[in-house]
Amino acid sequence: MILGNTVFKMEKMKSLMNTYWMLCDAVHQANDFYCDQLMAIMFSLFVQVTIKSYFFFLHVRAGYMVGMTMDAVWVLVLICYAILVANSSTHITYSADNTAVMICKLINKDLDPSFRKQLEGFLLQLPHHNARFSARGFFQIHNETLTSMAGAVTTYLVILIQFQTEK
């Protein structure tokens, strides 16, 4: 009974390892195919949020409620779109990164030595095959990217507003 349970666990773990490699391959293929689109989307979102936020400021300053409302809605829509893109990538990355944690926990249990050796080999290969989406290889798409974008948008917005107030 115990031998059959061990064989079942080994087969299940081999299946999970194969699934991980398939996930990595899928992410690499998606990066190859969509990296240009991801770069264009992220750059476009950055520029559009910056411009719409600037025009929002101008409409607030002028007291033009219709323009202010439209620009505020557009900024919110663009931010939601950026969050959607980044969250999808972050969830895949998080799931792939959880694999290493699961393997470490499993290695510490009482296992067959050959199976333990397979898991250790798999664990050593994980850092070299990560499942991360990137924009043309320039930067990775994840939630931290949104923080960086927000900082850059704020910086450019402050610069644009300072030029406006000097006139």
Side-chain angles (χ1 to χ4, degrees):
M1 181 70 173
I2 294 174
L3 181 62
N5 193 18
T6 304
V7 171
F8 174 73
K9 286 182 180 179
M10 288 176 61
E11 290 301 318
K12 185 175 179 183
M13 187 50 66
K14 286 179 184 178
S15 173
L16 289 173
M17 290 182 340
N18 288 336
T19 303
Y20 178 83
W21 294 128
M22 287 178 13
L23 174 66
C24 286
D25 288 341
V27 169
H28 289 297
Q29 287 179 5
N31 272 335
D32 290 343
F33 190 74
Y34 292 114
C35 64
D36 294 330
Q37 290 89 339
L38 282 172
M39 183 65 177
I41 286 170
M42 296 307 285
F43 179 72
S44 174
L45 285 170
F46 170 72
V47 170
Q48 288 180 20
V49 167
T50 304
I51 290 170
K52 288 293 181 185
S53 297
Y54 176 66
F55 280 110
F56 173 77
F57 166 76
L58 291 179
H59 292 307
V60 167
R61 192 169 170 199
Y64 182 51
M65 292 300 290
V66 174
M68 179 178 63
T69 305
M70 289 180 60
D71 287 335
V73 168
W74 269 112
V75 168
L76 290 175
V77 166
L78 293 168
I79 290 171
C80 287
Y81 184 53
I83 290 170
L84 179 69
V85 170
N87 272 342
S88 301
S89 176
T90 301
H91 287 304
I92 290 172
T93 302
Y94 178 74
S95 296
D97 289 346
N98 259 357
T99 304
V101 174
M102 289 181 356
I103 298 295
C104 285
K105 287 180 182 177
L106 191 63
I107 283 178
N108 292 328
K109 293 187 178 187
D110 187 30
L111 296 175
D112 181 52
S114 65
F115 185 53
R116 182 186 304 265
K117 195 171 254 298
Q118 277 184 325
L119 289 177
E120 288 171 353
F122 178 69
L123 195 58
L124 289 173
Q125 293 176 7
L126 285 179
H128 304 291
H129 300 280
N130 56 12
R132 291 175 176 27
F133 287 100
S134 70
R136 196 80 186 121
F138 292 111
F139 57 91
Q140 293 179 356
I141 308 291
H142 48 73
N143 286 340
E144 288 81 20
T145 305
L146 297 177
T147 308
S148 300
M149 279 181 68
V153 166
T154 303
T155 302
Y156 284 112
L157 195 55
V158 167
I159 292 169
L160 288 171
I161 290 170
Q162 284 178 342
F163 280 132
Q164 182 65 30
T165 56
E166 288 179 6
K167 289 184 177 182

